[in-house]
Each structure stands twice: as C-alpha cells, then as structure tokens.
Amino acid sequence: MSSTGPDTTNSAPATSAPATANSAVAASATVITNIANLVTNDPSLGDSPLGLIQDAAVVIDGDRIAWVGESSKAPATDNRFDAGGRAVIPGFVDSHSHLVFAGDRTPEFAARMAGQPYAAGGIRTTVAATRAATDDELEANVVRYLREALHQGTTVFETKSGYGLTVADEARALEIAARHTDEVTFLGAHVVSPDYADDPAGYVDLVTGPMLDACAPHARWIDVFCERGAFDGDQARAVLTAGRARGLHPRVHANQLTHGPGVQLAVELDAASADHCTHLTDADVDALAHSRTVATLLPGAEFSTRAQWPDARRLLDAGATVALSTDCNPGSSFTSSMPFCVALAVRDMGMTPDEALWSATAGGARALRRTDVGHLAPGARADLALLDAPSHVHLAYRPGVPLVAAVWQRGERVR
C-alpha cells in the first residue's frame, strides 16, 4: 500500500547513509547555517513526517547533500552561508507541465471568468499557434517559464509535447524540451489532431506508429488525455501500451472533467501518476491507495477553470500518495508557481501545510519515480530553497508573497 503521508521509503540513493557531525566533509564544501527550520522530508533525521530540524545546518559538497543536523554540530568548511534564521526546504518538483507552446488564450480565460464552462476545446487554438512558431520562439518560451519557476523554488520539472499533433511538430517539441530537462513526456495523444477530425482511429494509428517512432528517442514518458472530448479508454490503452513497448513509461491525464476509466487504466498499467483526479469513485481511490501510481493534483487548473476542487483529504485518508504540480499551460492553468499551488491545496483541497509541502517536493519526486530529489538527506541531490520566512507554513500563510529568497540547484546557487 502507498503511504498515507510523508515518508521516505526508497527516497534516497542506495549508497547514501545518514551523516553525523563526525562524517568526513571536504573543506571546499559549503555549509548553510542558522536555518530556523530545515525540512528534510526524512523523519529519521528530525521531527514529524517532514523530518524538521530546528536551528539547523546543511552541508553541500559538489552536487550532493553531505550532512544535515543542528547548526552547533556542523562540520567546518571553507564556504559558509548564513540563512539568517529563515527556513530551508527541498526544491519543488513540478511533475506536470506543458511548456512547449506558442500563442495566448486570454480571451478563453476571460470567457470562463464570465461564466463559460471549460471543455478542453481551446487546446486546438494553441496547436495552431505552436505549429506556426519557429524553434527559437518555442525554446524562448520554455526558457522564460523555467526561469519563472526556478525563481519560485522549482528545481526539477517535467514537461510534455502535445501542442503540435503532427509527427514533425511533436518531435521538435520533445527535442526542445530535452535540452532543458530529463523528464520529457510524449503527449501526441493530447486531443485528436484537427487534421484527423473525421478519423480519430487514424490519428491513434499515427500516434502509435510514425509519431511514436519519431518521438520515443527524445522522451522518457508517454501520456494520454483519457477524457470526454479527447481519448476513450480503449484508445488510451492502445497509446500507452504502444509507448511502453518502445521503452516509455506511462502517465495519464485522468478523471479531470468527468468520471471515466483513466485512473483504473493508470493503475492497471503501473503508470507513475494519474494526473488531475478530480472525479473519483470509491473504487478509483482504493485502486490508487493500493498501487504505486501517484495521484497528482493540479489546483491551478481548478482555479483557472472554476471547476470542482480535487478532494486531497479523501485520497490521503485512504492511503494514496499525492503529488502537487502546476500543470503550467496557456489554457487551463497558466501558472509556474508551486508556492501558489501549495496555498490553493491548503485552502481549498483539505491538505495541511505539511502535507502540501511534502506533496510538492517528495510527492512530485515519487510521481517521477526519482529517489535523488524531493528530500534533503545525505546523498540526495543538492536542490534546496531558502524562504524569506521562519517556517514553510508561510507558503500557505502568506499566499502570493514572493517568499523564495535563494535557490540552489545541483549544489550551485542559481538565485
């Protein structure tokens, strides 16, 4: 069964071991001291499921965490950074985004805010703009939104294709994405291409044949929008099984707009995550709770579409593993801010501040099946954010305030 909340099962590399004040640390390492509250996401290292350490220090050696503990016991190093009595958290792990796109859908958003319901049809507007854009224009957009996310503490992100829907446009989207992240997802099955409006079966054949052949070398994951107006359960199964045969691991856009087969299909195929999970039956919740498939919740989408909020409390109480992500895209969730999503999850989805932070860090790592990020135990990748606040609770307590004061990614200070 999956964890009901924060734990660190399989969350650190097998070679890592708890470090102590007497552990050997290179003199050239960097120690961050005077941390009011350090979130490690490892309960063996501190209090509560978040592994909180008060008056803490963390040592970065190269691109890894070398030591964590009380400031008074920190090993001596040549480089020292004073956190000034502020909080340090793991870098956010954004496990669901759509950053390779062009165009703007402001009119669609304004219409929704005036009462028009969301039905996913606007994806085709972005498809037209993306096809017309140059590679340089698409890459500039990716870089822009990654910079936004990094400044808000996101150090790992996944992104997808899905706005080209031709063999050439899907392949170039993945090539662009792969220059910026290892977590690249082929989403040719976002919606049926307008070129195949009268032949959806033919489009599935394209996605599972020539398009997959062109895209598989550039991706780690395969995804499908299993939803009314997109792909039904049989079509989604065909897409995911074809991708899996080519070495891509499944993810699923599941149960966003209505009840449907997406969650059950995700669990059946051992998908890393079922994303959205807004409309769930008891059987769906039970299936997630007894599987490795993470329920990735995307509150930015509900905020931007005025839709029903996912019930995170129901999933957590059942024992499902929950992740939070931005779903950054130009139509239904145009935000790159993980702190914003944390605040929404606490305010409107029944999560505590501790649960929301864990889901936005360690939960996201599980949704990507990563053991090296999302926590700050010795041996983990040195991705961390310094908050201009004494506690991580301020992420929800002070919504909308730019609280991320500094960011380290792979051991390098990048902000």
Side-chain angles (χ1 to χ4, degrees):
M1 178 184 290
S2 300
S3 168
T4 58
D7 73 27
T8 53
T9 304
N10 296 324
S11 64
T15 56
S16 67
T20 68
N22 296 320
S23 298
V25 172
S28 60
T30 297
V31 60
I32 303 174
T33 62
N34 195 18
I35 301 169
N37 281 283
L38 173 66
V39 176
T40 69
N41 281 339
D42 186 337
S44 74
L45 297 174
D47 297 331
S48 84
L50 289 183
L52 286 170
I53 305 175
Q54 296 183 345
D55 189 17
V58 58
V59 175
I60 299 170
D61 191 356
D63 66 351
R64 297 284 154 174
I65 301 297
W67 183 94
V68 296
E70 296 175 10
S71 257
S72 62
K73 300 176 182 177
T77 67
D78 291 342
N79 304 300
R80 193 176 188 88
F81 181 92
D82 189 339
R86 294 174 286 181
V88 168
I89 64 172
F92 293 116
V93 180
D94 190 347
S95 61
H96 183 127
S97 74
H98 304 249
L99 300 185
V100 188
F101 69 88
D104 181 90
R105 283 158 66 182
T106 300
E108 177 188 325
F109 176 79
R112 286 201 304 272
M113 295 305 102
Q116 180 175 313
Y118 174 67
I123 291 170
R124 293 174 180 84
T125 302
T126 301
V127 168
T130 302
R131 288 180 178 181
T134 67
D135 289 5
D136 287 345
E137 289 168 338
L138 293 176
E139 186 146 27
N141 262 355
V142 172
V143 171
R144 172 188 175 187
Y145 298 122
L146 288 183
R147 185 180 301 116
E148 279 185 4
L150 184 66
H151 283 193
Q152 296 172 91
T154 298
T155 52
V156 177
F157 79 100
E158 176 270 1
T159 201
K160 310 174 192 295
S161 64
Y163 291 127
L165 309 187
T166 67
V167 172
D169 285 307
E170 287 296 293
R172 72 167 178 150
L174 295 174
E175 289 176 12
I176 290 168
R179 291 198 280 268
H180 301 278
T181 181
D182 295 329
E183 304 297 344
V184 179
T185 301
F186 169 43
L187 183 61
H190 200 179
V191 294
V192 173
S193 168
D195 308 320
Y196 285 79
D198 297 323
D199 186 15
Y203 185 65
V204 172
D205 288 342
L206 179 72
V207 170
T208 57
M211 191 180 287
L212 179 59
D213 290 341
C215 292
H218 309 294
R220 180 184 178 199
W221 307 97
I222 187 164
D223 199 346
V224 60
F225 190 12
C226 184
E227 186 60 74
R228 177 191 63 197
F231 298 90
D232 65 25
D234 290 340
Q235 293 168 327
R237 181 189 303 278
V239 169
L240 296 175
T241 54
R244 194 165 63 172
R246 292 296 304 274
L248 303 183
H249 202 80
R251 323 181 68 77
V252 184
H253 281 61
N255 301 55
Q256 177 186 4
L257 306 177
T258 60
H259 293 285
V263 164
Q264 295 292 337
L265 182 62
V267 171
E268 176 192 332
L269 297 181
D270 188 35
S273 64
D275 297 21
H276 287 290
C277 292
T278 305
H279 299 275
L280 301 179
T281 64
D282 289 345
D284 293 333
V285 173
D286 186 66
L288 288 165
H290 290 85
S291 75
R292 295 200 303 163
T293 300
V294 174
T296 299
L297 308 183
L298 310 169
E302 279 68 41
F303 176 87
S304 296
T305 61
R306 285 184 170 165
Q308 173 184 324
W309 296 101
D311 190 347
R313 183 80 269 136
R314 181 185 179 198
L315 287 161
L316 290 166
D317 288 348
T321 301
V322 171
L324 289 176
S325 186
T326 63
D327 191 19
C328 185
N329 75 80
S332 61
S333 184
F334 203 5
T335 180
S336 58
S337 175
M338 288 291 278
F340 175 64
C341 292
V342 166
L344 290 180
V346 172
R347 169 62 178 81
D348 291 304
M349 288 164 45
M351 301 185 85
T352 68
D354 284 13
E355 289 166 339
L357 177 62
W358 187 91
S359 294
T361 52
R366 289 201 183 182
L368 295 174
R369 297 206 169 153
R370 295 280 294 269
T371 61
D372 59 331
V373 296
H375 62 111
L376 296 178
R381 202 171 88 174
D383 289 358
L384 56 153
L386 172 70
L387 303 181
D388 194 12
S391 167
H392 65 280
V393 177
H394 281 235
L395 292 166
Y397 180 42
R398 303 196 69 208
V401 177
L403 292 179
V404 176
V407 179
W408 285 259
Q409 186 180 45
R410 297 184 182 90
E412 295 289 331
R413 186 175 176 186
V414 292
R415 177 173 187 252

